[in-house]
Amino acid sequence: MNQKLTNIGIVALIALLCCILWGSAFSGVKLGYAQMQISQNDWASQMLFAGIRFFLAGLMALFAGSIAGKKLLFPEKKTIPKIGIISLFQTILQYFFYYIGLAHTTGVKASIIVAANVFVAILIAGILKQEIVITKKIIGCMIGFAGIILVNFSSDMDLHVNLLGDGFILLCTIASGFSSVFMKIYTKQGENPVLLSGWQFTFGGAVMWLIGILAGGNLFMTNKAFIILIYLAFVSACAYSLWAILLKYNPVSKVTVFGFLNPLCGVIISSIVLHETGVFNWQGITALILVCTGIFIVNFEKKKENNL
């Protein structure tokens, strides 16, 4: 089973599934905002929405993992600090900065900046000596990132940079990069990736839930809103748990480079579900080619090369 999870074809299929799920979350969140009557600048209610979502995601991941492993996924004492660290970067900091930053910048600029988490994760992995950052990985990332810029490019794009908007989105990206690397480190030490995912979501979601309540957040819950909330929780539980499993058995760069597919999936799904401008044009096709090329370059290895 471990060998199958290092096969590039299996990695690609699982990573693509994760990106499709995450891509659908963009539309899900927007639909949730409309159903729950959350305004664009109501960050307290956004925190409350996110907190409940991730708390439920944690419970789902722990329930599924317990059933699959035929035992309750309860952390040992030595694992609790690791859960806290991952939760801090993956859930609390990442989404705190993301939701506030998104309210003060455009979705186009946010998509481009968030896509940079692939660079960040690989560079952090190199700095922490988790893997060697070679030239072809940097080149592959640059080509993939060019695809993301192309699919988000518009002639009237505002290039002005502001700290509260673009700066917070960048901090969100850095937090995400650290999360991927720490997950790799801890699972390499023998920790269960599903246990780590489930508990970090549960803890992080509870913290965000509390922040939202204390800040005066409020949700208008309808039947449709509840269904959307459950779906988004499932997306987080399933996608991040699978992503964590891939990180356990593969180098960070081999997995995170597929993250370039995430914004592409988001744009395609949003164009279908929300009738927004899609990527079914020459820019979109070229962007997809660039992203796939970048992924191939990062993951192409000669037989004499060894994964770390």
Side-chain angles (χ1 to χ4, degrees), residues 125-142:
I127 293 172
L128 297 181
K129 299 181 179 179
Q130 291 301 301
E131 65 178 84
I132 300 173
V133 181
I134 57 180
T135 304
K136 77 178 183 68
K137 292 181 180 180
I138 299 299
I139 294 175
C141 284
M142 291 177 67

Side-chain angles (χ1 to χ4, degrees), residues 176-252:
S176 176
F178 271 105
S179 168
S180 293
V181 175
F182 279 123
M183 180 62 78
K184 171 66 178 179
I185 292 173
Y186 297 149
T187 54
K188 194 174 180 180
Q189 293 173 354
E191 298 289 351
N192 185 327
V194 179
L195 181 148
L196 291 177
S197 298
W199 281 104
Q200 73 86 13
F201 271 137
T202 302
F203 175 72
V207 171
M208 296 182 73
W209 191 341
L210 180 61
I211 291 175
I213 292 176
L214 294 177
N218 183 52
L219 302 180
F220 180 75
M221 192 63 66
T222 64
N223 290 335
K224 289 184 178 179
F226 180 75
I227 293 173
I228 291 171
L229 181 62
I230 295 299
Y231 174 73
L232 289 173
F234 167 77
V235 165
S236 297
C238 181
Y240 189 69
S241 294
L242 290 174
W243 198 260
I245 292 173
L246 290 179
L247 286 171
K248 179 176 181 177
Y249 297 107
N250 298 277
V252 173

Side-chain angles (χ1 to χ4, degrees), residues 114-132:
V114 167
N117 65 13
V118 176
F119 284 116
V120 175
I122 293 177
L123 290 176
I124 293 174
I127 293 172
L128 297 181
K129 299 181 179 179
Q130 291 301 301
E131 65 178 84
I132 300 173

Side-chain angles (χ1 to χ4, degrees), residues 34 38 50 60 62 71 86 96 108 110 120 148 160 165 178 193 208 222 245 303:
I38 301 175
M60 287 183 182
L62 292 172
K71 65 176 182 179
I86 294 178
F96 177 81
V108 170
V120 175
I148 300 303
H160 176 71
F178 271 105
M208 296 182 73
T222 64
I245 292 173
K303 292 183 178 179

Side-chain angles (χ1 to χ4, degrees), residues 262-273:
N262 191 12
L264 279 178
C265 290
V267 172
I268 293 173
I269 294 173
S270 293
S271 69
I272 297 172
V273 176

Side-chain angles (χ1 to χ4, degrees), residues 280-294:
F280 304 109
N281 48 42
W282 72 267
Q283 291 106 321
I285 295 173
T286 304
L288 183 59
I289 293 173
L290 288 173
V291 167
C292 291
T293 300

